[in-house]
Amino acid sequence: MACAIVPLDEQQVTEPSAVGKDRTLPALHPDRKEERCFVPYRPPPEDGSPAQVEEFLEHAKFITEDLEWLLALPHDKFWCQVVFDETLQKCLDSYLCHASRGLDPAGLPCSPAVADVQRCIHRAVFMTFLRMATHKESKENFLTPTVFGEIIYENFLFDIPKILDLCVLFGKGNTQLLHKMIGNIFTQQPGYYSDLDETVPSVLQVFDTILDKCGLQCEGAGAMEPLKLNANGRPTAMTMSQQDLVDLVLYLCDSTTTIHAFLDIYPPACSTFQSHGFLSRLGSFYESAVPDMEKAVRKRNFTDKGLKEDLWKRMCHSCKRMVEVAHLLLQQSCLQPILEGGENIQTFAEELLQHFTSFLPEKRFLSDYDEQFPIAEDISLLQQALPLIDETRTSYLLQGVQSAWDSVGRRRPQGHLQSK
Amino acid sequence: MSPPRLTGALRSFSNVSKQEDPGGQVYDLKSKRLKRQELFARQGLTWQKVVQFCTQHRDKAQQQTTSQELKNVLAAARQIVGAEHGQETIESAAVFLFETFHNKDHVGTEETRAIKQMPMALLATSSVASLFGRNIAFSYDSYTLDPLDLPWEASLEDEVDLDF
C-alpha cells in the first residue's frame, strides 16, 4: 500500500514487477490497475423469457460484485482503477444513460430478484460517483485538490450530462449529498462552469426542436430565418403520428425534470443559465408549446385510454417543473439578493420588475406562474424592502397579472392577493 | 429502448463529453464469464469455492446432507464472529473453520486455540476491506409523476372550441 500523509498524487510505491524484481512507480499508475473487465449496464428485459431474465440477473450480479469490489479497494487502488480502467467508466456511463428514471413509462412489474439486484446496482453506482467526487477521504487518504480537479476533468470522470443524470436519478432523496458532490466538483475544477456555459445553448436547442416538431415558429434561431415554403404543410401536435407525440411529451417531461433537478440541487448554476437569457426563452417556449401540446393530448383519439392519461400527467408535470425552474432562476438572481439586503438592492428590484414585465405577453405562462408563486407576494416584498418603489409600475404589473388570468379564462385561486 | 432524454441530446450535440471510442473493448457476458473464472482461480480458497466443490462432487442423494452440513459450518462461523459482522467476514470465518477441520476427526487443543484466535484475525482483515459508503444514508426515492384529476372527465364535454 502507498505511504500516508503525502497526497496520493505525490506518493511512490515499490512493488514486485512481472519479472520478479522490485520497482518503484507513482502510486497513481496504469500498471497498478487490476484487469477486472467491468460489463456495461443493460436494463432488465421487457416481458423477457425466463432465460433472458436469468441472463440479466447474471449480468447485473457481475456489475454489483465488481462495484462492491471497487468500493472495498484502498484509496490508492480505487483511484488507479477509476482513472485507468475504461471498462469501469463505460459501465458507469451506461448506467447513467440507460437506468430507468422514476418518470419513465412503467413497464411490466419485475420479479423481486430483478428489483433487488437493480437496487444494489443503483446504490453501488451512486457510492462510486460519491467516492469519485471526494478528494479527501480521510486524514491519510487524499488528493491535492487541484490535481483532483484535473483528474476528474481530463479523464471525463464527470461531465455536464453525467452530472445532470446523477441529479435526476438520485436527487430526489439524496439532495444534500449531491449538492456537496457537485459543489466540490465545480469548486475544484472551474472548467465545469465553462462546460455548463457551453451546454446551455444545447438545452435551449431542445426547446427549439420541440417547437419545430410541433410546427411552431420558435423565437430563437427559427425567428431569424425565412419560413420554408412547405412550412404550412408540416405536421403539428394535432397531426403528427401518435408515436411522435408520445416521444415529444416524454422528451419534454424528461428535459424539464432534469433541468429542475439540477438547478434545485445546485442553485449556483442558475447564473450560468441566466447569462443565456434562459428565463425569457423558457417563458416564450411555454407560451407557444404548452397550449398546442395540451390540446393535442386532450382532443386526439387514443386507442389506449391509459396512454392519454399518462401523457396528460406528463404535460402537467412538465408545466409545473418549468414554472418551478422560472421561480428558481428568479429566486437566485433577484429575490434572494433582495431578501439579503445590501448595496445593490435597487438593481435587483429593477431586474425583478423587468422580468415580470417581460412575462406580461406570455399570458398562459404568467397565470400558471402566478398560481404556484403569487406575484403579488413578491411585489409586496419589494414594497417592504424599497418603500419608494414606483407604485404606478407595480399596479400596472398586477393588473397585467389579472388580465392574464382573465384572458386564459381561469379564475384565480382563493387566498391570492388581489391587485390594488 | 430508453425514452428520449435531454442528456442523450447533450451527449450527442454538445462538446463537453468524451467522444465514444469505437475501437474500445466492451465486455459481453461470455467474455466476462471467462474473465471471472480466471479471477476465481487466482483467488485463494473462498466459501463460494467450497460450496461449489462440495455440491458438484456429490451425487443428488448426498447433496441435501452436504448442503445442510455446509449451512451448519456457516452458522457456527456466524456464532463465533458475531452476527453483527457482514456476510463477507462470516464466510471468511467459515472457510477458516473448513480449513482447520479438514481431514480432522476430533477437536484437539491446536484446533481450539486456532478458533479462539480466529475472530481477531478475521476482524482485522475485514476492516481493511470495508466497503466505502457502508455508513452513508442512501435514499432510493426517485422523481415520479404527481397524481392528478383528469380534466376531460369533468369538463371536456362542456368545452366549446371554435377551432377553424
Side-chain angles (χ1 to χ4, degrees):
Chain A
M1 192 187 291
C3 56
I5 310 301
V6 177
L8 178 61
D9 43 283
E10 291 175 17
Q11 287 177 27
Q12 301 275 319
V13 288
T14 304
E15 287 183 346
S17 68
V19 287
K21 255 184 151 183
D22 279 0
R23 62 169 182 162
T24 301
L25 67 168
L28 266 178
H29 191 278
D31 286 359
R32 301 194 69 220
K33 157 197 100 159
E34 303 276 339
E35 281 304 317
R36 189 74 187 187
C37 308
F38 288 79
V39 285
Y41 172 79
R42 288 190 318 213
E46 283 173 32
D47 195 16
S49 65
Q52 282 176 314
V53 172
E54 203 55 45
E55 197 174 283
F56 166 80
L57 288 173
E58 186 188 9
H59 194 101
K61 200 171 157 241
F62 287 151
I63 296 175
T64 36
E65 272 180 11
D66 285 348
L67 290 179
E68 280 174 8
W69 166 83
L70 177 78
L71 290 168
L73 287 178
H75 187 244
D76 57 331
K77 289 283 203 175
F78 171 82
W79 278 99
C80 285
Q81 208 68 31
V82 297
V83 173
F84 301 115
D85 188 346
E86 284 210 11
T87 65
L88 166 61
Q89 286 313 318
K90 281 183 178 160
C91 168
L92 294 172
D93 203 32
S94 61
Y95 186 76
L96 297 184
C97 291
H98 303 298
S100 171
R101 282 85 170 117
L103 289 159
D104 282 353
L108 293 171
C110 54
S111 70
V114 170
D116 255 13
V117 77
Q118 290 270 71
R119 280 167 69 87
C120 290
I121 297 180
H122 193 62
R123 188 180 196 281
V125 168
F126 180 77
M127 289 303 162
T128 307
F129 276 108
L130 177 62
R131 199 176 184 189
M132 291 197 307
T134 310
H135 67 279
K136 188 175 180 184
E137 222 168 84
S138 66
K139 271 186 187 171
E140 297 81 23
N141 298 314
F142 61 96
L143 285 154
T144 310
T146 47
V147 177
F148 164 78
E150 282 165 24
I151 288 176
I152 57 168
Y153 192 71
E154 279 161 21
N155 294 288
F156 293 93
L157 302 189
F158 290 93
D159 60 30
I160 299 296
K162 283 186 189 183
I163 292 170
L164 296 181
D165 280 328
L166 287 170
C167 288
V168 78
L169 275 168
F170 301 102
K172 170 82 172 162
N174 302 289
T175 308
Q176 286 183 339
L177 274 175
L178 271 165
H179 177 79
K180 276 191 182 174
M181 284 164 69
I182 300 171
N184 196 39
I185 291 166
F186 275 80
T187 305
Q188 308 307 342
Q189 179 50 270
Y192 284 111
Y193 278 112
S194 315
D195 281 3
L196 183 63
D197 191 53
E198 218 177 293
T199 310
V200 176
S202 304
V203 176
L204 288 167
Q205 184 60 47
V206 168
F207 292 154
D208 289 344
T209 305
I210 293 174
L211 288 174
D212 191 50
K213 297 241 181 217
C214 290
L216 297 163
Q217 180 78 3
C218 56
E219 199 185 86
M224 308 300 285
E225 293 164 7
L227 209 61
K228 286 179 186 163
L229 286 175
N230 62 351
N232 288 338
R234 286 160 66 195
T236 65
M238 281 303 281
T239 60
M240 66 176 65
S241 75
Q242 183 175 300
Q243 190 53 51
D244 283 351
L245 179 64
V246 171
D247 282 347
L248 216 53
V249 175
L250 286 173
Y251 195 30
L252 178 66
C253 186
D254 176 77
S255 302
T256 53
T257 308
T258 305
I259 298 165
H260 175 261
F262 175 57
L263 294 179
D264 188 37
I265 289 163
Y266 193 60
C270 285
S271 56
T272 310
F273 275 68
Q274 264 305 69
S275 69
H276 289 267
F278 196 84
L279 193 53
S280 66
R281 291 288 293 276
L282 181 70
S284 60
F285 166 77
Y286 192 103
E287 194 68 14
S288 306
V290 167
D292 264 42
M293 290 175 76
E294 273 185 353
K295 187 177 152 195
V297 173
R298 287 170 71 139
K299 302 272 173 172
R300 285 181 64 155
N301 287 323
F302 291 87
T303 39
D304 177 359
K305 199 184 163 212
L307 178 62
K308 187 184 174 95
E309 287 181 11
D310 181 71
L311 293 181
W312 182 257
K313 282 183 187 169
R314 283 176 196 282
M315 280 308 299
C316 295
H317 177 94
S318 308
C319 291
K320 215 171 163 194
R321 293 295 91 83
M322 282 189 274
V323 165
E324 283 168 358
V325 166
H327 182 70
L328 271 170
L329 293 170
L330 286 176
Q331 179 80 29
Q332 284 300 307
S333 60
C334 312
L335 287 165
Q336 198 60 37
I338 293 169
L339 278 171
E340 284 165 4
E343 284 177 15
N344 296 327
I345 190 167
Q346 183 74 45
T347 317
F348 292 120
E350 178 59 33
E351 209 179 307
L352 182 67
L353 287 175
Q354 271 183 17
H355 281 306
F356 283 151
T357 311
S358 73
F359 291 164
L360 290 179
E362 327 282 13
K363 298 196 183 300
R364 170 66 198 271
F365 173 68
L366 185 60
S367 57
D368 284 358
Y369 181 92
D370 187 57
E371 187 176 9
Q372 275 195 71
F373 304 102
I375 289 176
E377 287 180 9
D378 291 336
I379 299 291
S380 163
L381 171 84
L382 275 188
Q383 285 164 336
Q384 285 167 42
L386 295 159
L388 296 176
I389 201 158
D390 182 358
E391 206 176 310
T392 321
R393 201 167 166 199
T394 52
S395 302
Y396 171 73
L397 194 57
L398 292 172
Q399 278 165 19
V401 174
Q402 185 57 53
S403 140
W405 279 94
D406 296 342
S407 69
V408 294
R410 291 159 67 204
R411 218 176 300 151
R412 270 174 129 178
Q414 295 272 320
H416 272 212
L417 291 177
Q418 294 303 304
S419 51
K420 289 182 183 171
Chain B
M1 211 177 87
S2 306
R5 301 203 199 288
L6 170 71
T7 50
L10 298 183
R11 281 187 174 89
S12 306
F13 300 114
S14 70
N15 223 1
V16 295
S17 297
K18 190 177 187 176
Q19 296 307 303
E20 268 306 306
D21 169 19
Q25 188 165 12
V26 175
Y27 285 87
D28 59 11
L29 207 51
K30 205 172 155 190
S31 48
K32 178 65 186 175
R33 278 183 197 135
L34 285 173
K35 191 76 210 170
R36 199 160 169 271
Q37 272 174 9
E38 273 177 39
L39 281 173
F40 199 58
R42 264 194 272 144
Q43 287 170 347
L45 188 61
T46 63
W47 185 245
Q48 216 180 337
K49 281 184 186 175
V50 172
V51 173
Q52 200 178 34
F53 181 84
C54 292
T55 44
Q56 276 173 2
H57 293 80
R58 286 275 184 274
D59 57 38
K60 275 204 169 171
Q62 290 175 309
Q63 268 184 13
Q64 206 179 345
T65 327
T66 310
S67 166
Q68 188 52 51
E69 281 169 2
L70 289 172
K71 274 184 192 165
N72 292 344
V73 177
L74 202 60
R78 186 176 288 115
Q79 256 188 337
I80 294 168
V81 297
E84 70 276 16
H85 293 290
Q87 188 65 11
E88 208 179 317
T89 310
I90 293 164
E91 286 183 2
S92 303
V95 171
F96 184 86
L97 290 179
F98 187 86
E99 284 176 322
T100 307
F101 291 106
H102 185 233
N103 286 336
K104 301 273 167 65
D105 52 10
H106 71 280
V107 183
T109 38
E110 202 183 312
E111 289 78 26
T112 315
R113 196 184 313 120
I115 292 169
K116 276 183 182 167
Q117 286 168 356
M118 176 183 72
M120 289 309 289
L122 280 169
L123 292 181
T125 325
S126 67
S127 68
V128 170
S130 72
L131 201 64
F132 174 89
R134 191 163 269 173
N135 302 324
I136 293 171
F138 174 75
S139 163
Y140 292 92
D141 278 0
S142 61
Y143 295 106
T144 49
L145 295 174
D146 304 325
L148 283 171
D149 293 330
L150 301 168
W152 49 82
E153 283 173 358
S155 64
L156 193 59
E157 290 78 16
D158 308 329
E159 199 176 313
V160 180
D161 192 358
L162 300 174
D163 189 15
F164 297 107

